[in-house]
Amino acid sequence: MVKSEILDELKKYREMDLKYEDGKIFGSMCSNVFPITKKIVEMFLETNLGDPGLFKGTKLLEEKAIKLIGELLNNKNPYGHIVSGGTEANLMVLRCIKNMCKERNEKPIIVLPVTAHFSFEKGRDMMDLNYIYAPIKKDLTVDEKFVKDAVEDYNASAIVGIAGTTEFGTVDNIEELSKIAKDNECYIHVDAAFGGFVIPFLKKKYKFDFSLGVDSITIDPHKMALCPIPAGGIVFKNIGYKKYLITEAPYLTETAQATILGTRVGYGAACTYAILKYYKDKIREIVNVCMENSYYLYKKLKENGFDVIKPTLNIVNILDDDYINTYNKLKEKGYYLSICKNLKALRIVVMPHVKKEHIDALIEVLKEIS
Ligand code: PLP
Protein backbone atom coordinates (compact mmCIF):
# COMPACT_ATOMS: atom_id res chain seq x y z
CA MET A 1 0.00 0.00 0.00
CA VAL A 2 1.18 3.53 -0.65
CA LYS A 3 1.21 6.09 2.11
CA SER A 4 -1.83 8.00 0.89
CA GLU A 5 -3.92 4.81 0.78
CA ILE A 6 -3.02 3.91 4.35
CA LEU A 7 -3.83 7.40 5.55
CA ASP A 8 -7.12 7.44 3.66
CA GLU A 9 -8.09 4.18 5.30
CA LEU A 10 -7.24 5.51 8.75
CA LYS A 11 -9.15 8.70 8.03
CA LYS A 12 -12.29 6.69 7.35
CA TYR A 13 -12.05 5.13 10.79
CA ARG A 14 -11.25 8.44 12.43
CA GLU A 15 -14.34 9.93 10.83
CA MET A 16 -16.49 7.40 12.70
CA ASP A 17 -15.41 9.07 15.98
CA LEU A 18 -17.39 11.83 17.62
CA LYS A 19 -15.64 15.20 17.66
CA TYR A 20 -15.72 17.55 20.62
CA GLU A 21 -16.52 20.50 18.37
CA ASP A 22 -19.73 18.85 17.08
CA GLY A 23 -21.33 19.84 20.38
CA LYS A 24 -22.79 16.42 21.21
CA ILE A 25 -20.29 15.28 23.83
CA PHE A 26 -21.70 16.23 27.24
CA GLY A 27 -20.29 13.48 29.44
CA SER A 28 -16.53 13.62 28.92
CA MET A 29 -13.90 15.21 31.14
CA CYS A 30 -11.56 15.69 28.17
CA SER A 31 -11.83 18.33 25.48
CA ASN A 32 -10.04 20.01 22.58
CA VAL A 33 -6.42 20.52 23.58
CA PHE A 34 -4.42 23.76 23.59
CA PRO A 35 -3.25 24.08 19.93
CA ILE A 36 0.43 24.50 20.92
CA THR A 37 0.41 21.02 22.45
CA LYS A 38 0.15 19.44 18.98
CA LYS A 39 3.64 20.79 18.22
CA ILE A 40 4.89 19.64 21.61
CA VAL A 41 3.55 16.12 21.03
CA GLU A 42 5.45 15.95 17.76
CA MET A 43 8.65 17.17 19.43
CA PHE A 44 8.45 14.65 22.30
CA LEU A 45 6.75 11.76 20.50
CA GLU A 46 9.71 9.40 20.75
CA THR A 47 10.66 10.15 24.33
CA ASN A 48 10.39 7.52 27.05
CA LEU A 49 10.20 8.58 30.68
CA GLY A 50 10.41 4.92 31.63
CA ASP A 51 14.12 5.18 30.90
CA PRO A 52 14.90 8.70 32.11
CA GLY A 53 18.68 8.40 31.90
CA LEU A 54 18.30 8.46 28.12
CA PHE A 55 15.86 11.37 28.11
CA LYS A 56 17.43 13.73 30.61
CA GLY A 57 15.77 16.86 29.21
CA THR A 58 12.31 15.32 29.28
CA LYS A 59 12.91 14.08 32.83
CA LEU A 60 13.87 17.63 33.85
CA LEU A 61 10.62 18.87 32.29
CA GLU A 62 8.67 16.32 34.33
CA GLU A 63 10.33 17.62 37.50
CA LYS A 64 9.60 21.20 36.50
CA ALA A 65 5.97 20.34 35.70
CA ILE A 66 5.58 18.75 39.14
CA LYS A 67 7.15 21.84 40.72
CA LEU A 68 4.62 24.09 38.94
CA ILE A 69 1.73 21.87 40.02
CA GLY A 70 3.20 21.99 43.53
CA GLU A 71 3.11 25.80 43.42
CA LEU A 72 -0.53 25.71 42.36
CA LEU A 73 -1.28 23.37 45.27
CA ASN A 74 0.77 25.22 47.92
CA ASN A 75 3.64 22.76 48.10
CA LYS A 76 7.22 24.04 47.77
CA ASN A 77 8.85 20.58 47.85
CA PRO A 78 6.60 18.29 45.85
CA TYR A 79 7.52 14.83 44.64
CA GLY A 80 5.49 13.26 41.86
CA HIS A 81 5.05 12.25 38.26
CA ILE A 82 3.10 13.04 35.15
CA VAL A 83 1.43 9.69 34.59
CA SER A 84 -1.17 8.20 32.26
CA GLY A 85 -4.20 9.59 34.07
CA GLY A 86 -6.16 9.79 37.29
CA THR A 87 -6.43 6.01 37.45
CA GLU A 88 -2.68 5.46 37.51
CA ALA A 89 -2.26 8.35 39.96
CA ASN A 90 -4.78 6.83 42.37
CA LEU A 91 -3.25 3.36 41.98
CA MET A 92 0.15 4.78 42.91
CA VAL A 93 -1.32 6.30 46.05
CA LEU A 94 -2.97 3.01 47.02
CA ARG A 95 0.33 1.23 46.50
CA CYS A 96 2.04 3.80 48.70
CA ILE A 97 -0.56 3.31 51.46
CA LYS A 98 -0.34 -0.47 51.16
CA ASN A 99 3.46 -0.46 51.48
CA MET A 100 3.38 2.02 54.35
CA CYS A 101 0.98 -0.31 56.18
CA LYS A 102 3.22 -3.29 55.44
CA GLU A 103 6.17 -1.47 57.01
CA ARG A 104 4.08 -0.75 60.11
CA ASN A 105 2.57 -4.22 60.23
CA GLU A 106 -0.89 -2.71 59.85
CA LYS A 107 -3.90 -4.00 57.92
CA PRO A 108 -4.59 -1.45 55.17
CA ILE A 109 -8.04 -0.04 55.95
CA ILE A 110 -9.11 2.95 53.89
CA VAL A 111 -12.16 5.15 54.44
CA LEU A 112 -13.43 6.70 51.23
CA PRO A 113 -16.63 8.31 49.97
CA VAL A 114 -19.21 6.39 47.95
CA THR A 115 -18.56 9.02 45.27
CA ALA A 116 -14.93 7.89 44.85
CA HIS A 117 -13.94 7.15 41.24
CA PHE A 118 -14.00 3.48 40.17
CA SER A 119 -10.22 3.48 39.88
CA PHE A 120 -10.21 2.88 43.64
CA GLU A 121 -12.13 -0.37 43.06
CA LYS A 122 -9.46 -1.46 40.58
CA GLY A 123 -6.86 -0.79 43.27
CA ARG A 124 -8.78 -2.72 45.91
CA ASP A 125 -9.02 -5.67 43.56
CA MET A 126 -5.32 -5.62 42.69
CA MET A 127 -3.93 -4.96 46.15
CA ASP A 128 -6.36 -6.70 48.50
CA LEU A 129 -7.16 -3.51 50.38
CA ASN A 130 -9.98 -3.11 52.88
CA TYR A 131 -12.43 -0.28 52.22
CA ILE A 132 -15.08 1.38 54.31
CA TYR A 133 -17.33 3.45 52.10
CA ALA A 134 -18.67 6.61 53.71
CA PRO A 135 -22.09 7.89 52.64
CA ILE A 136 -22.69 11.38 51.28
CA LYS A 137 -24.85 14.07 52.88
CA LYS A 138 -27.72 16.02 51.32
CA ASP A 139 -25.18 18.40 49.78
CA LEU A 140 -23.53 15.40 48.05
CA THR A 141 -20.24 15.74 49.95
CA VAL A 142 -18.91 13.01 52.20
CA ASP A 143 -20.35 12.63 55.69
CA GLU A 144 -17.36 13.68 57.84
CA LYS A 145 -18.96 12.41 61.02
CA PHE A 146 -19.19 8.93 59.50
CA VAL A 147 -15.56 9.18 58.36
CA LYS A 148 -14.42 10.17 61.84
CA ASP A 149 -16.30 7.30 63.52
CA ALA A 150 -15.08 4.79 60.93
CA VAL A 151 -11.46 5.89 61.29
CA GLU A 152 -11.65 5.65 65.07
CA ASP A 153 -13.67 2.43 65.28
CA TYR A 154 -11.65 0.49 62.73
CA ASN A 155 -8.28 2.12 63.30
CA ALA A 156 -8.11 3.04 59.61
CA SER A 157 -4.78 3.77 57.93
CA ALA A 158 -5.99 6.23 55.31
CA ILE A 159 -8.76 8.60 54.24
CA VAL A 160 -9.63 9.64 50.71
CA GLY A 161 -11.44 12.91 50.00
CA ILE A 162 -12.65 14.09 46.61
CA ALA A 163 -12.19 17.65 45.36
CA GLY A 164 -14.52 17.59 42.38
CA THR A 165 -16.47 14.33 42.40
CA THR A 166 -16.80 12.60 39.05
CA GLU A 167 -20.57 12.44 39.31
CA PHE A 168 -21.51 15.78 40.84
CA GLY A 169 -18.42 17.99 40.87
CA THR A 170 -18.89 18.49 44.60
CA VAL A 171 -15.93 19.22 46.88
CA ASP A 172 -15.64 17.21 50.11
CA ASN A 173 -14.77 19.10 53.27
CA ILE A 174 -11.04 18.39 52.96
CA GLU A 175 -10.23 20.71 55.87
CA GLU A 176 -12.32 18.57 58.22
CA LEU A 177 -11.04 15.31 56.72
CA SER A 178 -7.46 16.54 57.20
CA LYS A 179 -8.15 17.23 60.87
CA ILE A 180 -9.54 13.71 61.30
CA ALA A 181 -6.44 12.32 59.58
CA LYS A 182 -4.11 14.39 61.76
CA ASP A 183 -5.89 13.47 65.00
CA ASN A 184 -5.70 9.78 64.11
CA GLU A 185 -2.25 9.83 62.51
CA CYS A 186 -3.54 8.45 59.26
CA TYR A 187 -2.74 9.14 55.62
CA ILE A 188 -4.98 11.47 53.63
CA HIS A 189 -5.23 11.52 49.84
CA VAL A 190 -7.21 14.08 47.85
CA ASP A 191 -8.50 13.02 44.46
CA ALA A 192 -8.64 16.29 42.54
CA ALA A 193 -8.21 14.61 39.15
CA PHE A 194 -10.94 16.85 37.75
CA GLY A 195 -11.20 19.66 40.30
CA GLY A 196 -7.48 20.32 40.62
CA PHE A 197 -7.36 22.56 37.58
CA VAL A 198 -10.75 24.16 38.34
CA ILE A 199 -10.92 24.94 42.05
CA PRO A 200 -7.78 27.19 42.27
CA PHE A 201 -9.24 29.41 39.53
CA LEU A 202 -12.73 29.87 40.99
CA LYS A 203 -13.93 33.05 42.63
CA LYS A 204 -15.40 30.97 45.46
CA LYS A 205 -12.55 29.50 47.48
CA TYR A 206 -12.32 25.91 48.69
CA LYS A 207 -9.46 24.60 50.79
CA PHE A 208 -8.26 21.28 49.43
CA ASP A 209 -4.51 21.34 48.93
CA PHE A 210 -1.16 20.83 50.71
CA SER A 211 -1.75 23.90 52.90
CA LEU A 212 -3.96 21.51 54.92
CA GLY A 213 -1.11 19.03 55.36
CA VAL A 214 -2.53 16.37 53.03
CA ASP A 215 -0.19 13.56 51.92
CA SER A 216 -0.98 13.36 48.22
CA ILE A 217 -3.14 14.84 45.47
CA THR A 218 -4.25 13.48 42.10
CA ILE A 219 -4.59 16.29 39.54
CA ASP A 220 -4.96 15.59 35.83
CA PRO A 221 -3.61 17.92 33.13
CA HIS A 222 -5.54 15.95 30.46
CA LYS A 223 -8.81 17.07 31.98
CA MET A 224 -9.31 20.82 32.62
CA ALA A 225 -5.73 21.89 31.75
CA LEU A 226 -6.44 20.78 28.14
CA CYS A 227 -3.26 18.75 27.66
CA PRO A 228 -3.34 15.78 25.27
CA ILE A 229 -4.05 12.33 26.70
CA PRO A 230 -2.16 10.75 28.47
CA ALA A 231 -1.37 13.32 31.14
CA GLY A 232 -2.39 12.56 34.71
CA GLY A 233 -0.71 14.07 37.74
CA ILE A 234 0.27 12.59 41.08
CA VAL A 235 1.89 14.83 43.66
CA PHE A 236 3.09 13.80 47.13
CA LYS A 237 3.91 16.12 50.01
CA ASN A 238 7.64 15.40 49.64
CA ILE A 239 10.23 12.92 48.39
CA GLY A 240 9.81 10.80 51.53
CA TYR A 241 6.95 8.86 49.93
CA LYS A 242 9.10 7.62 47.05
CA LYS A 243 10.46 4.68 49.02
CA TYR A 244 6.96 3.20 49.18
CA LEU A 245 6.63 3.34 45.41
CA ILE A 246 9.85 2.21 43.86
CA THR A 247 10.56 -1.14 42.28
CA GLU A 248 14.06 -2.18 41.27
CA ALA A 249 14.61 -1.79 37.53
CA PRO A 250 18.13 -3.18 37.11
CA TYR A 251 18.46 -2.98 33.33
CA LEU A 252 17.39 0.65 32.93
CA THR A 253 19.47 3.83 33.14
CA GLU A 254 17.81 4.63 36.46
CA THR A 255 17.58 1.52 38.54
CA ALA A 256 14.32 2.23 40.37
CA GLN A 257 10.89 3.01 38.99
CA ALA A 258 7.93 4.46 40.87
CA THR A 259 5.16 4.67 38.27
CA ILE A 260 2.83 1.78 37.44
CA LEU A 261 3.57 2.05 33.73
CA GLY A 262 7.08 1.23 32.58
CA THR A 263 7.62 2.63 29.11
CA ARG A 264 5.73 5.93 29.07
CA VAL A 265 5.80 8.81 26.66
CA GLY A 266 7.17 12.18 27.82
CA TYR A 267 4.96 14.62 25.94
CA GLY A 268 2.45 14.81 28.79
CA ALA A 269 5.18 16.22 31.03
CA ALA A 270 6.35 18.67 28.35
CA CYS A 271 2.79 19.84 27.62
CA THR A 272 1.96 20.22 31.32
CA TYR A 273 5.08 22.31 31.88
CA ALA A 274 4.36 24.54 28.87
CA ILE A 275 0.69 25.07 29.74
CA LEU A 276 1.32 25.84 33.41
CA LYS A 277 4.27 28.11 32.67
CA TYR A 278 2.75 30.11 29.81
CA TYR A 279 -1.03 29.58 29.81
CA LYS A 280 -2.08 29.64 33.46
CA ASP A 281 -4.18 32.77 32.95
CA LYS A 282 -5.78 31.14 29.95
CA ILE A 283 -6.87 28.19 32.14
CA ARG A 284 -8.40 30.69 34.55
CA GLU A 285 -10.30 32.29 31.66
CA ILE A 286 -11.47 28.90 30.37
CA VAL A 287 -12.61 27.83 33.85
CA ASN A 288 -14.62 31.04 34.19
CA VAL A 289 -16.34 30.50 30.83
CA CYS A 290 -17.12 26.87 31.75
CA MET A 291 -18.62 28.00 35.06
CA GLU A 292 -20.66 30.71 33.32
CA ASN A 293 -21.95 28.10 30.85
CA SER A 294 -22.74 25.71 33.70
CA TYR A 295 -24.92 28.34 35.38
CA TYR A 296 -26.49 29.13 32.01
CA LEU A 297 -27.38 25.45 31.58
CA TYR A 298 -28.66 25.24 35.17
CA LYS A 299 -30.86 28.32 34.75
CA LYS A 300 -32.25 27.25 31.39
CA LEU A 301 -33.06 23.76 32.65
CA LYS A 302 -34.86 25.24 35.66
CA GLU A 303 -36.82 27.65 33.49
CA ASN A 304 -37.96 24.67 31.45
CA GLY A 305 -39.19 22.78 34.48
CA PHE A 306 -36.35 20.29 34.97
CA ASP A 307 -35.23 19.29 38.44
CA VAL A 308 -31.58 20.43 38.53
CA ILE A 309 -28.83 20.48 41.15
CA LYS A 310 -27.00 23.80 41.49
CA PRO A 311 -23.46 23.23 40.17
CA THR A 312 -20.38 23.47 42.39
CA LEU A 313 -17.89 23.01 39.53
CA ASN A 314 -18.67 22.72 35.81
CA ILE A 315 -20.82 19.61 36.20
CA VAL A 316 -24.62 19.86 36.11
CA ASN A 317 -27.00 17.10 37.24
CA ILE A 318 -30.62 16.65 36.20
CA LEU A 319 -32.67 14.57 38.63
CA ASP A 320 -34.81 12.11 36.69
CA ASP A 321 -36.52 8.92 37.96
CA ASP A 322 -36.37 7.57 34.42
CA TYR A 323 -32.75 8.64 33.90
CA ILE A 324 -31.53 5.51 32.11
CA ASN A 325 -34.34 5.71 29.60
CA THR A 326 -33.69 9.43 29.04
CA TYR A 327 -29.98 8.74 28.63
CA ASN A 328 -30.69 6.07 25.99
CA LYS A 329 -33.17 8.26 24.12
CA LEU A 330 -30.62 11.08 24.04
CA LYS A 331 -28.02 8.67 22.70
CA GLU A 332 -30.38 7.61 19.93
CA LYS A 333 -30.56 11.26 18.94
CA GLY A 334 -26.78 11.53 18.96
CA TYR A 335 -26.40 13.32 22.33
CA TYR A 336 -23.93 11.75 24.72
CA LEU A 337 -24.55 12.58 28.39
CA SER A 338 -23.79 10.22 31.23
CA ILE A 339 -25.55 8.84 34.26
CA CYS A 340 -24.85 8.95 37.99
CA LYS A 341 -24.42 6.04 40.37
CA ASN A 342 -25.41 7.63 43.66
CA LEU A 343 -28.53 9.47 42.48
CA LYS A 344 -31.13 8.92 39.81
CA ALA A 345 -29.70 11.67 37.71
CA LEU A 346 -28.09 12.58 34.43
CA ARG A 347 -24.68 14.17 34.41
CA ILE A 348 -23.46 16.90 32.09
CA VAL A 349 -19.82 17.98 32.14
CA VAL A 350 -19.59 21.52 30.79
CA MET A 351 -16.14 21.29 29.23
CA PRO A 352 -14.63 24.08 27.09
CA HIS A 353 -16.03 22.53 23.89
CA VAL A 354 -19.59 22.90 25.25
CA LYS A 355 -20.84 26.26 23.95
CA LYS A 356 -24.11 28.08 24.70
CA GLU A 357 -25.57 27.07 21.31
CA HIS A 358 -24.88 23.41 22.10
CA ILE A 359 -26.62 23.85 25.45
CA ASP A 360 -29.66 25.41 23.72
CA ALA A 361 -29.81 22.51 21.26
CA LEU A 362 -29.54 19.95 24.08
CA ILE A 363 -32.38 21.58 26.00
CA GLU A 364 -34.64 21.44 22.95
CA VAL A 365 -33.95 17.69 22.59
CA LEU A 366 -34.51 17.13 26.32
CA LYS A 367 -37.85 18.94 26.09
CA GLU A 368 -38.84 16.83 23.12
CA ILE A 369 -37.98 13.60 24.92
CA SER A 370 -39.65 14.47 28.20
N1 PLP B 1 -10.54 10.56 39.74
C1 PLP B 1 -11.59 11.34 39.42
C2 PLP B 1 -12.19 12.24 40.46
C3 PLP B 1 -12.10 11.33 38.12
O1 PLP B 1 -13.15 12.11 37.83
C4 PLP B 1 -11.50 10.48 37.16
C5 PLP B 1 -12.02 10.41 35.80
O2 PLP B 1 -13.12 10.78 35.51
C6 PLP B 1 -10.41 9.69 37.55
C7 PLP B 1 -9.96 9.75 38.85
C8 PLP B 1 -9.74 8.75 36.58
O3 PLP B 1 -9.06 9.46 35.61
P1 PLP B 1 -8.57 8.78 34.24
O4 PLP B 1 -9.82 8.46 33.46
O5 PLP B 1 -7.74 9.86 33.63
O6 PLP B 1 -7.80 7.58 34.58
Side-chain angles (χ1 to χ4, degrees), residues 221-247:
H222 72 199
K223 295 188 168 74
M224 281 294 286
L226 306 185
C227 282
I229 302 166
I234 179 62
V235 185
F236 292 88
K237 194 178 347 189
N238 55 48
I239 192 84
Y241 297 76
K242 189 174 176 181
K243 68 173 178 176
Y244 300 110
L245 292 166
I246 52 174
T247 300

Short mmCIF file of all heavy atoms in Angstrom, two decimals, residues 221-247:
data_model
loop_
_atom_site.label_atom_id
_atom_site.label_comp_id
_atom_site.label_asym_id
_atom_site.label_seq_id
_atom_site.Cartn_x
_atom_site.Cartn_y
_atom_site.Cartn_z
N PRO A 221 -3.70 16.93 34.21
CA PRO A 221 -3.61 17.92 33.13
C PRO A 221 -4.46 17.57 31.91
O PRO A 221 -4.89 18.46 31.20
CB PRO A 221 -2.12 17.90 32.77
CG PRO A 221 -1.44 17.39 34.00
CD PRO A 221 -2.39 16.41 34.61
N HIS A 222 -4.75 16.27 31.66
CA HIS A 222 -5.54 15.95 30.46
C HIS A 222 -7.04 16.15 30.66
O HIS A 222 -7.82 15.84 29.78
CB HIS A 222 -5.19 14.59 29.87
CG HIS A 222 -5.64 13.37 30.63
ND1 HIS A 222 -5.09 12.13 30.41
CD2 HIS A 222 -6.58 13.18 31.59
CE1 HIS A 222 -5.67 11.24 31.19
NE2 HIS A 222 -6.57 11.85 31.91
N LYS A 223 -7.40 16.69 31.81
CA LYS A 223 -8.81 17.07 31.98
C LYS A 223 -8.88 18.59 31.76
O LYS A 223 -8.71 19.04 30.65
CB LYS A 223 -9.32 16.61 33.35
CG LYS A 223 -9.34 15.07 33.45
CD LYS A 223 -10.02 14.53 34.69
CE LYS A 223 -10.27 13.05 34.61
NZ LYS A 223 -9.07 12.19 34.76
N MET A 224 -9.05 19.38 32.83
CA MET A 224 -9.31 20.82 32.62
C MET A 224 -8.08 21.67 32.25
O MET A 224 -8.22 22.87 32.00
CB MET A 224 -10.04 21.40 33.82
CG MET A 224 -11.52 21.07 33.82
SD MET A 224 -12.43 21.83 32.46
CE MET A 224 -12.47 23.53 33.03
N ALA A 225 -6.87 21.08 32.21
CA ALA A 225 -5.73 21.89 31.75
C ALA A 225 -5.52 21.71 30.24
O ALA A 225 -4.57 22.25 29.67
CB ALA A 225 -4.46 21.55 32.53
N LEU A 226 -6.41 20.94 29.61
CA LEU A 226 -6.44 20.78 28.14
C LEU A 226 -5.11 20.33 27.53
O LEU A 226 -4.69 20.82 26.48
CB LEU A 226 -6.92 22.09 27.48
CG LEU A 226 -8.27 22.61 28.00
CD1 LEU A 226 -8.71 23.82 27.21
CD2 LEU A 226 -9.34 21.53 27.96
N CYS A 227 -4.45 19.41 28.21
CA CYS A 227 -3.26 18.75 27.66
C CYS A 227 -3.73 17.49 26.92
O CYS A 227 -4.75 16.93 27.26
CB CYS A 227 -2.32 18.32 28.79
SG CYS A 227 -1.37 19.67 29.44
N PRO A 228 -2.95 17.03 25.94
CA PRO A 228 -3.34 15.78 25.27
C PRO A 228 -3.25 14.58 26.21
O PRO A 228 -2.42 14.56 27.12
CB PRO A 228 -2.29 15.64 24.15
CG PRO A 228 -1.59 16.94 24.08
CD PRO A 228 -1.73 17.62 25.39
N ILE A 229 -4.10 13.61 25.98
CA ILE A 229 -4.05 12.33 26.70
C ILE A 229 -2.77 11.60 26.23
O ILE A 229 -2.49 11.63 25.03
CB ILE A 229 -5.28 11.48 26.32
CG1 ILE A 229 -6.58 12.25 26.67
CG2 ILE A 229 -5.24 10.13 27.00
CD1 ILE A 229 -7.82 11.64 26.03
N PRO A 230 -1.98 10.94 27.04
CA PRO A 230 -2.16 10.75 28.47
C PRO A 230 -1.36 11.76 29.31
O PRO A 230 -0.15 11.90 29.12
CB PRO A 230 -1.57 9.35 28.67
CG PRO A 230 -0.48 9.24 27.64
CD PRO A 230 -0.87 10.14 26.51
N ALA A 231 -2.05 12.41 30.21
CA ALA A 231 -1.37 13.32 31.14
C ALA A 231 -2.16 13.39 32.45
O ALA A 231 -3.10 14.18 32.58
CB ALA A 231 -1.19 14.70 30.55
N GLY A 232 -1.82 12.50 33.37
CA GLY A 232 -2.39 12.56 34.71
C GLY A 232 -1.31 13.12 35.63
O GLY A 232 -0.13 13.16 35.26
N GLY A 233 -1.72 13.53 36.81
CA GLY A 233 -0.71 14.07 37.74
C GLY A 233 -0.86 13.45 39.12
O GLY A 233 -1.97 13.33 39.64
N ILE A 234 0.29 13.03 39.68
CA ILE A 234 0.27 12.59 41.08
C ILE A 234 1.35 13.36 41.82
O ILE A 234 2.51 13.38 41.41
CB ILE A 234 0.44 11.05 41.23
CG1 ILE A 234 0.43 10.69 42.72
CG2 ILE A 234 1.68 10.50 40.55
CD1 ILE A 234 -0.83 11.02 43.44
N VAL A 235 0.96 14.02 42.89
CA VAL A 235 1.89 14.83 43.66
C VAL A 235 1.82 14.42 45.13
O VAL A 235 0.73 14.33 45.71
CB VAL A 235 1.56 16.35 43.54
CG1 VAL A 235 2.62 17.18 44.25
CG2 VAL A 235 1.44 16.77 42.09
N PHE A 236 3.00 14.13 45.69
CA PHE A 236 3.09 13.80 47.13
C PHE A 236 3.66 14.99 47.87
O PHE A 236 4.30 15.87 47.28
CB PHE A 236 3.99 12.57 47.33
CG PHE A 236 3.39 11.30 46.79
CD1 PHE A 236 3.61 10.93 45.47
CD2 PHE A 236 2.60 10.48 47.60
CE1 PHE A 236 3.04 9.76 44.95
CE2 PHE A 236 2.04 9.31 47.09
CZ PHE A 236 2.27 8.95 45.76
N LYS A 237 3.46 14.99 49.17
CA LYS A 237 3.91 16.12 50.01
C LYS A 237 5.41 16.35 49.86
O LYS A 237 5.88 17.47 49.78
CB LYS A 237 3.55 15.81 51.47
CG LYS A 237 3.65 17.01 52.35
CD LYS A 237 3.29 16.85 53.82
CE LYS A 237 2.61 15.67 54.35
NZ LYS A 237 2.17 15.80 55.74
N ASN A 238 6.18 15.27 49.80
CA ASN A 238 7.64 15.40 49.64
C ASN A 238 8.24 14.08 49.14
O ASN A 238 7.51 13.09 48.98
CB ASN A 238 8.30 15.83 50.97
CG ASN A 238 7.94 14.88 52.10
OD1 ASN A 238 8.04 13.66 51.94
ND2 ASN A 238 7.49 15.41 53.23
N ILE A 239 9.53 14.08 48.96
CA ILE A 239 10.23 12.92 48.39
C ILE A 239 10.18 11.68 49.29
O ILE A 239 10.39 10.55 48.84
CB ILE A 239 11.71 13.31 48.07
CG1 ILE A 239 12.44 12.26 47.22
CG2 ILE A 239 12.51 13.59 49.34
CD1 ILE A 239 12.20 12.41 45.76
N GLY A 240 9.83 11.88 50.55
CA GLY A 240 9.81 10.80 51.53
C GLY A 240 8.90 9.63 51.15
O GLY A 240 9.07 8.51 51.63
N TYR A 241 7.92 9.90 50.29
CA TYR A 241 6.95 8.86 49.93
C TYR A 241 7.50 7.92 48.85
O TYR A 241 6.95 6.86 48.61
CB TYR A 241 5.64 9.51 49.43
CG TYR A 241 4.96 10.32 50.51
CD1 TYR A 241 5.43 11.59 50.87
CD2 TYR A 241 3.85 9.83 51.19
CE1 TYR A 241 4.83 12.33 51.87
CE2 TYR A 241 3.23 10.56 52.19
CZ TYR A 241 3.73 11.81 52.53
OH TYR A 241 3.13 12.53 53.52
N LYS A 242 8.57 8.37 48.20
CA LYS A 242 9.10 7.62 47.05
C LYS A 242 9.48 6.18 47.42
O LYS A 242 9.26 5.25 46.65
CB LYS A 242 10.32 8.37 46.48
CG LYS A 242 10.81 7.81 45.18
CD LYS A 242 11.90 8.67 44.60
CE LYS A 242 12.46 8.05 43.32
NZ LYS A 242 13.53 8.84 42.74
N LYS A 243 9.99 6.03 48.63
CA LYS A 243 10.46 4.68 49.02
C LYS A 243 9.33 3.65 49.05
O LYS A 243 9.57 2.45 48.96
CB LYS A 243 11.20 4.74 50.36
CG LYS A 243 10.35 5.06 51.55
CD LYS A 243 11.16 4.93 52.83
CE LYS A 243 10.29 5.32 53.99
NZ LYS A 243 10.81 5.18 55.28
N TYR A 244 8.08 4.13 49.18
CA TYR A 244 6.96 3.20 49.18
C TYR A 244 6.48 2.85 47.78
O TYR A 244 5.55 2.08 47.59
CB TYR A 244 5.79 3.78 50.00
CG TYR A 244 6.17 4.04 51.43
CD1 TYR A 244 6.32 5.35 51.91
CD2 TYR A 244 6.42 2.98 52.29
CE1 TYR A 244 6.68 5.58 53.22
CE2 TYR A 244 6.78 3.21 53.61
CZ TYR A 244 6.91 4.52 54.07
OH TYR A 244 7.28 4.73 55.36
N LEU A 245 7.10 3.49 46.79
CA LEU A 245 6.63 3.34 45.41
C LEU A 245 7.60 2.61 44.51
O LEU A 245 7.22 2.05 43.49
CB LEU A 245 6.35 4.73 44.80
CG LEU A 245 5.18 5.50 45.40
CD1 LEU A 245 5.23 6.95 44.97
CD2 LEU A 245 3.86 4.87 44.97
N ILE A 246 8.88 2.67 44.84
CA ILE A 246 9.85 2.21 43.86
C ILE A 246 9.99 0.68 43.80
O ILE A 246 9.86 -0.03 44.78
CB ILE A 246 11.25 2.85 44.06
CG1 ILE A 246 11.70 2.69 45.50
CG2 ILE A 246 11.26 4.29 43.60
CD1 ILE A 246 13.12 3.17 45.73
N THR A 247 10.25 0.26 42.57
CA THR A 247 10.56 -1.14 42.28
C THR A 247 11.93 -1.12 41.63
O THR A 247 12.22 -0.22 40.85
CB THR A 247 9.53 -1.70 41.27
OG1 THR A 247 8.24 -1.60 41.84
CG2 THR A 247 9.82 -3.14 40.89
#
